[in-house]
Every structure is written in structure tokens, then in C-alpha cells.
Amino acid sequence: MATTLVSTQPVWQAVIATACGARLSRTVWAGMALAVCGAAVAAGRDWQGGTSALLGDLLALVGAVALAGYTAFSQRARTHTGTSVHSALCALVCALQPTLVCVVMGTADVRVDRVTLLAWLWLDQVPAGPPGPAWA
């Protein structure tokens, strides 16, 4: 079910694009309405699954909206910054957000040894070659 709700990201992307002045055709909106209805029908099964299922679905929906926001902000940011700067900022934000959540919630801190950190950097930078990271 969560996969279905996360897959509504294009709908949220369209809402953000429309709010920013883009005009989408009726066919696009009709297709997205059909997709949302399908997601709602699929999510309906979880209503009998209790509160935890609904909370999981809500988290998936928040993830879809967050991904749409990331895509919209990245689209604008990439017009003013290079790939390396954009990727470095995204990696920084992705590292700081869970750290902030851990601090606010008072959970135990996670320590990363030097070898693991170097492995992450290797996986991030090397497959694409210079100058950009692997996902850019």
C-alpha cells in the first residue's frame, strides 16, 4: 500500500507546478485523478488494519509530497548552481535531517567508523567519475 501512495508523487509535483504558474492539460489532470482514485481504493483496505496501517500510509503520503517538493526545489536550484554544488547541498541536508530528528527525539547517536565513511564517499563520488556524484 505504501508503494501506491508514494507513487502519487507526480500528482503532488503537478500541484506544485500549477502553484508556480504551469498549465497542465485536462488529459493530464484526468489521468492523475484516476491514479489518485486507484490509490484511495487500494488504501481503503488498510482502514480495517488499525491505526498503525493508517499511520504508515500517512508517512508514505508525506514521503510523496516531500519528493515532489525536493524535485521542484531542485529544478529551480539547478538553474543557478552546478551539479557538484547541488549534490553536495543535498547530501548535507540528507545527513542533517536524520541527525536533527535523533537529537529532538533523544535517541541514541550512531557513530560511523572511518572505513564506513570512506566507503560511502567512494560509492557517492567514484562511479560517475569527476566532477559529479553518482546520482547526478
Side-chain angles (χ1 to χ4, degrees):
M1 177 50 43
T3 301
T4 303
L5 292 173
V6 168
S7 296
T8 62
Q9 182 270 338
V11 176
W12 303 111
Q13 186 68 45
V15 169
I16 292 170
T18 301
C20 292
R23 295 192 42 88
L24 302 174
S25 70
R26 289 182 182 168
T27 306
V28 170
W29 285 111
M32 284 191 274
L34 182 62
V36 169
C37 289
V41 168
R45 286 187 348 190
D46 282 347
W47 293 345
Q48 295 134 358
T51 316
S52 63
L54 285 175
L55 288 175
D57 290 346
L58 179 63
L59 183 60
L61 200 55
V62 168
V65 173
L67 180 57
Y70 164 78
T71 305
F73 288 129
S74 291
Q75 180 182 6
R76 291 193 180 230
R78 293 284 307 268
T79 61
H80 302 291
T81 62
T83 300
S84 297
V85 172
H86 178 263
S87 297
L89 289 174
C90 288
L92 179 64
V93 168
C94 289
L96 291 178
Q97 284 177 337
T99 303
L100 181 61
V101 169
C102 288
V103 167
V104 169
M105 298 191 70
T107 58
D109 59 331
V110 177
R111 304 214 186 271
V112 177
D113 61 61
R114 189 176 308 170
V115 173
T116 303
L117 182 60
L118 289 173
W120 285 345
L121 290 171
W122 177 271
L123 289 172
D124 175 43
Q125 295 296 323
V126 173
W135 66 78

